[in-house]
């Protein structure tokens, strides 16, 4: 051991068991299999919904497609995969109506499927990938179809900035072969 070796930063030990990887261990750079494709976790987002309720979202990329994997672990693990969609697909005047009424509609239609408002939650968002602790306020509305297998999320950032995503609810076993990022 050299004289100044104690000043070197110790490499942080992983907080997961490499022999028993689960969806809760995901982080940037990890590889996973979903829907007969391999995906890489490109970005990691954290959400704080208040009352000690947190969730994570991962931007995953298969090379020809980008999805968002949302993971809620409060109680039973709840997973969705979704893609960003244009707000106008939900109605040409949905943004104006939402701003005017301070709330989006209670029912939406997308591709011939009816969705019903299930939750209306305010919270905070942090892009963990940036390595900062800059939390942004947001309001999120989630809609599900009758069977609660399909989801639409509308998120409001500030006064007039909105985005939307559409996807489906999945089971934890649909995600497999999780491999940590290489050093």
């Amino acid at each position: 051991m050299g004289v100044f070796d104690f000043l070197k930063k110790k490499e942080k030990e992983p907080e997961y068991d490499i022999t028993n990887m689960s969806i809760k261990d995901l982080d940037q750079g990890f590889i996973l299999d979903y829907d007969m494709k391999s995906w890489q976790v490109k970005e990691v987002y954290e959400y704080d919904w208040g009352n000690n309720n947190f969730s994570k979202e991962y931007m995953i990329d298969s090379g020809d497609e980008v999805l968002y994997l949302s993971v809620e672990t409060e109680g039973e693990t709840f997973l969705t995969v979704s893609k960003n969609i244009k707000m106008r697909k939900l109605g040409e005047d949905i943004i104006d109506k939402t701003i005017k009424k301070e709330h989006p509609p209670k029912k939406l239609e997308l591709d011939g499927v009816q969705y019903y408002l299930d939750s209306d939650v305010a919270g905070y968002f942090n892009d963990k990938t940036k390595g900062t602790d800059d939390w942004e306020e947001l309001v999120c509305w989630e809609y599900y179809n009758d069977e609660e297998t399909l989801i639409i999320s509308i998120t409001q950032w500030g006064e007039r900035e909105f985005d939307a995503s559409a996807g489906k609810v999945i089971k934890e076993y649909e995600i497999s072969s999780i491999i940590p990022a290489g050093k």
Side-chain angles (χ1 to χ4, degrees), residues 70-81:
S70 176
V71 179
E72 294 179 30
T73 55
E74 295 299 317
E76 191 176 318
T77 301
F78 183 76
L79 307 173
T80 62
V81 289

Side-chain angles (χ1 to χ4, degrees), residues 109-181:
E109 184 177 324
L110 179 66
D111 299 329
V113 177
Q114 294 290 321
Y115 293 80
Y116 303 92
L117 183 61
D118 183 72
S119 66
D120 170 354
V121 185
Y124 296 90
F125 163 88
N126 179 40
D127 184 344
K128 189 176 171 194
T129 312
K130 291 181 179 177
T132 62
D133 205 23
D134 295 333
W135 292 83
E136 296 177 55
E137 285 187 62
L138 66 110
V139 178
C140 182
W141 296 278
E142 289 184 339
Y143 295 79
Y144 291 92
N145 65 337
D146 280 330
E147 297 80 22
E148 295 186 352
T149 55
L150 301 175
I151 183 172
I152 293 175
S153 293
I154 298 175
T155 305
Q156 182 177 1
W157 311 86
E159 297 241 353
R160 294 198 57 88
E161 189 178 337
F162 291 82
D163 60 41
S165 63
K168 64 183 180 174
V169 176
I170 65 169
K171 299 292 183 193
E172 195 167 354
Y173 68 81
E174 294 180 66
I175 304 290
S176 63
S177 303
I178 298 172
I179 302 169

